[in-house]
Amino acid sequence: MTSITILIPCYNEAKGIPALAAALNAELPKIEKDLDVDLSLLFVDDGSKDNTVDVLKATDFDIPTRLIVLSRNFGKEAALSAGLDAHWSDAVIMMDADLQHPIALIPDMIRKWREGYDVVYAFKSSRDQEGLATRLLSKAFYRLVNYGSRTELPKNAGDYRLLDRRVVEAIGKLPEAQRFMKGLYAWVGFRQIGIPMTVAERATGRTSFSPIRLLGLAVDGLTSFSIAPIRIMSIAGLLIATLSFLYMAWIILQRLFFEAPFNGFASLAVLIAFFGGTTVLGLGVVGEYVAKALLEAKRRPIYVVADEIELSDG
């Protein structure tokens, strides 16, 4: 029988675990019966500061369930990597613990996988419920990360997706520690298809991804997977140098042929501030890449496992 692991990373999800367990217990046995698959759950606790681990231990699950506890908070990308490294099934479905990823899409993912697709990802059919800053940041991010890239990231697609075992094994062979998983899903290739989804409201609590944190994640993703920022700064530098040369030539012509007085202290101050700002920005962009290279050179592990627990044998 086909085996599929449902991988769920958790960080401070203690309040939402009961609702999540109730939804999974209500839906997954039906999916097993209807599609003749063998499902299992794999939770990865990413160093939660609340009692997520204790709540998971006290919760009953109707299908085989395991828990991996990381030694501290390494981030969602590391938690997903830990889960992918620990699975033994024919495919993996990754979903969030806050019930925003509809469980009802799992049968559609499995059917598409059986049609021959190696990656089935869910993408947001609409982002109207999100704030303006989040929407603008998302649009700018996808434009930049796909600029000049051979591997295009599908827009509005997150981590809710099914991966065939071949895809998981390919991702596991990639050596980088500073991982941008959405980029890796696209980079390894294979046959991929998207299905639309409507994101539900969080079952409990509030998201920890503020616009500022999303901006930080976007910068990490860009510098981990794209050279677009460096290329844009190079083009901007060439453009600024060209305009500066033309402006200098115009000033010389004015002085030589029109005897125009040079009294543009304000414009000179603005130009100096502008060039100084762009220089610092360029150094910051280069610094992001140098920092990434330094972290990769240290060859530290992506995550550290503190404990592995069998929660239920089904």
Side-chain angles (χ1 to χ4, degrees), residues 91-308:
V92 175
I93 296 176
M94 298 172 294
M95 65 180 296
D96 289 347
D98 55 16
L99 286 177
Q100 288 193 290
H101 292 163
I103 301 174
L105 276 187
I106 291 178
D108 294 335
M109 289 182 169
I110 295 174
R111 293 188 186 100
K112 289 295 183 184
W113 174 55
R114 285 177 169 172
E115 290 176 11
Y117 292 98
D118 300 294
V119 178
V120 184
Y121 59 86
F123 63 90
K124 296 178 181 179
S125 56
S126 172
R127 305 193 73 132
D128 293 340
Q129 75 278 10
E130 298 177 351
L132 178 62
T134 301
R135 295 201 304 271
L136 292 176
L137 178 60
S138 175
K139 185 176 293 187
F141 168 76
Y142 282 107
R143 281 184 178 273
L144 280 174
V145 78
N146 288 327
Y147 172 73
S149 176
R150 294 183 179 180
T151 55
E152 185 169 343
L153 269 65
K155 295 180 180 179
N156 301 325
D159 293 308
Y160 190 25
R161 61 185 69 207
L162 179 149
L163 305 179
D164 184 82
R165 178 185 292 197
R166 296 190 303 160
V167 180
V168 176
E169 291 175 349
I171 292 174
K173 293 177 182 178
L174 300 179
E176 59 256 50
Q178 302 301 307
R179 292 194 159 192
F180 175 52
M181 296 301 290
K182 297 179 186 65
L184 299 185
Y185 304 144
W187 187 89
V188 295
F190 296 96
R191 292 191 66 197
Q192 305 197 14
I193 190 172
I195 55 177
M197 73 168 175
T198 300
V199 178
E201 294 292 331
R202 285 180 62 92
T204 58
R206 298 174 58 186
T207 179
S208 59
F209 290 98
S210 64
I212 297 298
R213 188 175 178 190
L214 287 173
L215 178 61
L217 291 174
V219 171
D220 284 339
L222 284 171
T223 53
S224 296
F225 195 71
S226 173
I227 61 169
I230 290 286
R231 189 168 295 170
I232 290 173
M233 289 305 301
S234 298
I235 294 172
L238 178 61
L239 179 61
I240 291 171
T242 302
L243 292 176
S244 300
F245 176 79
L246 293 175
Y247 184 61
M248 178 186 69
W250 171 245
I251 291 175
I252 293 174
L253 287 173
Q254 281 187 314
R255 292 286 290 170
L256 291 178
F257 299 103
F258 301 103
E259 297 183 355
F262 184 73
N263 54 3
F265 174 78
S267 60
L268 182 62
V270 169
L271 286 174
I272 292 174
F274 175 71
F275 293 145
T278 54
T279 300
V280 173
L281 176 61
L283 289 173
V285 171
V286 173
E288 287 284 341
Y289 284 93
V290 172
K292 285 285 192 304
L294 174 63
L295 292 173
E296 291 292 340
K298 293 180 178 180
R299 308 307 301 160
R300 290 173 179 167
I302 303 171
Y303 56 86
V304 177
V305 175
D307 200 3
E308 295 187 38

